[in-house]
């Protein structure tokens, strides 16, 4: 390892089980010398293995509903107390769609479900940024990263309203990134990751097809959760100090590939 994050501290949202990108990132941050607090919604914590991750990385857990401002205020305040000062990095790895879970087609969206999914998946990022900004909780040259997907730019029919959520999430990164950069010298970016077989991802209809198609289209193949953890560490490090307000594609080249020979052969 390279000690890229030695002396740095932060918060990691969304670690659920060993398949989650947030969990892989937590392990890599730990390996690179960073310290952090883990957080997830209480209901998610009952379903996952976050306690095992906390023990493995020597981290504390603070339950928080990322849609609740009081929970976020408590989380940020306690995290700074536990870690001994301001934060250097934050990972937002949160996504949920009630319409997807209930197999409701995009054209028949239940809007109560839509609002809930938007709040959890996208507006929560604005809320996290607002609490960090208002409390002056980030050190200069700190880094805030959220995970997104290419459905924010291209249509993937079965990705449903999560595509809208991701588009909003990316806009928040640009808009809040401006103010965080000007006022606090803090970076805000999103990583547009390959389709990844996480617990949340596999809830999307036809997800195995998503993965197979993307892998066949990408010159380097799909990026794994472990690959994404490595990339996130680079964005948390001082090596990317001037990278901000970007949606960074981490997809093996999928985003710039019109068609591949493998796909052409499949339909010839």
């Amino acid at each position: 390892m390279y000690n890229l994050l030695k002396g740095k501290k932060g918060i990691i949202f969304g670690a659920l089980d060993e398949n989650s990108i947030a969990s892989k990132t937590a392990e890599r941050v730990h390996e690179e010398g960073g310290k952090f607090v883990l957080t997830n919604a209480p209901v998610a914590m009952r379903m996952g293995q976050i306690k095992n991750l906390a023990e493995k990385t020597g981290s504390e857990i603070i339950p928080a509903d990322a849609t609740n401002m009081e929970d976020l205020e408590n989380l940020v305040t306690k995290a700074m107390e536990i870690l001994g000062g301001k934060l250097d990095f934050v990972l937002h790895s949160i996504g949920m769609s009630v319409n997807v879970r209930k197999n409701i087609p995009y054209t028949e969206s239940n809007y109560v479900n839509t609002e809930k999914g938007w709040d959890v998946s996208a507006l929560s990022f604005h809320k996290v940024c607002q609490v960090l900004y208002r409390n002056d909780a980030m050190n200069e040259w700190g880094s805030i990263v959220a995970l997104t997907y290419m459905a924010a730019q291209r249509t993937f029919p079965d990705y449903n309203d999560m595509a809208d959520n991701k588009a909003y999430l990316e806009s928040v990164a640009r808009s809040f990134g401006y103010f965080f950069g000007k006022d606090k010298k803090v970076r805000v970016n999103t990583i547009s990751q390959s389709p990844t077989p996480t617990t949340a991802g596999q809830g999307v209809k036809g997800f195995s097809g998503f993965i197979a198609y993307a892998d066949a289209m990408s010159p380097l193949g799909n990026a794994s959760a472990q690959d994404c953890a490595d990339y996130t560490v680079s964005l948390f490090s001082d090596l990317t100090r001037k990278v901000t307000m970007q949606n960074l594609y981490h997809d093996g080249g999928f985003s710039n590939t019109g068609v591949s020979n493998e796909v052409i052969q499949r339909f010839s």
Side-chain angles (χ1 to χ4, degrees), residues 56-113:
K56 184 176 181 179
T57 59
S59 306
E60 292 197 36
I61 304 169
I62 303 176
D65 177 352
T67 69
N68 184 292
M69 294 297 282
E70 289 184 8
D71 277 14
L72 290 174
E73 291 278 357
N74 178 67
L75 168 65
V76 170
T77 299
K78 286 191 173 179
M80 288 193 290
E81 289 175 0
I82 290 168
L83 297 169
K86 293 185 182 183
L87 310 173
D88 300 291
F89 59 86
V90 173
L91 175 65
H92 179 284
S93 181
I94 305 170
M96 185 279 296
S97 167
V98 182
N99 284 319
V100 168
R101 287 183 179 177
K102 294 188 175 183
N103 294 314
I104 298 172
Y106 184 79
T107 53
E108 300 295 329
S109 292
N110 175 300
Y111 296 122
V112 173
N113 294 345

Side-chain angles (χ1 to χ4, degrees), residues 153-216:
Q153 286 79 34
R154 297 185 188 176
T155 301
F156 294 81
D158 291 328
Y159 203 64
N160 209 303
D161 58 356
M162 277 302 298
D164 302 334
N165 296 337
K166 293 301 188 184
Y168 186 93
L169 179 87
E170 292 174 18
S171 181
V172 169
R174 289 187 294 271
S175 298
F176 230 123
Y178 173 83
F179 295 102
F180 252 126
K182 290 290 288 184
D183 301 337
K184 311 286 187 180
K185 291 291 185 291
V186 171
R187 298 162 279 161
V188 185
N189 295 289
T190 53
I191 296 175
S192 187
Q193 168 71 2
S194 297
T196 311
T198 61
T199 300
Q202 292 180 71
V204 176
K205 181 182 176 184
F207 196 73
S208 61
F210 273 66
I211 293 177
Y213 172 71
D215 200 48

